[in-house]
Amino acid sequence: MTVLGEFFAKKSIKKADVSRKTGISTSRLSELSRNESTKLKAEELFLIALAIDVAPIEILNKVCGHVKLKKAK
């Protein structure tokens, strides 16, 4: 399960509801929830945040919080 999938599960978010509100297919939401190599688009993140009534930065921090800049040599 991906970080986004864990976020959905923790908040009891139903993919069908998100799909209906955003137009993102349930299969795409499932792929984003299960497959670590699937890339979440900024537009998708924003639509999901609107659909579940959270600030986009909350999802962004959860999904990308581990990303760090590389140290210069």
Side-chain angles (χ1 to χ4, degrees), residues 25-54:
S25 70
T26 53
S27 62
R28 173 71 178 156
L29 291 169
S30 291
E31 187 71 18
L32 289 167
S33 297
R34 286 192 317 256
N35 189 342
E36 290 287 343
S37 65
T38 302
K39 302 296 182 193
L40 175 63
K41 298 175 187 174
E43 184 176 317
E44 291 171 327
L45 182 146
F46 191 78
L47 287 171
I48 291 167
L50 291 176
I52 63 175
D53 199 30
V54 301

Side-chain angles (χ1 to χ4, degrees), residues 47-64:
L47 287 171
I48 291 167
L50 291 176
I52 63 175
D53 199 30
V54 301
I57 192 70
E58 183 178 344
I59 298 173
L60 185 61
N61 280 333
K62 189 59 91 174
V63 172
C64 298

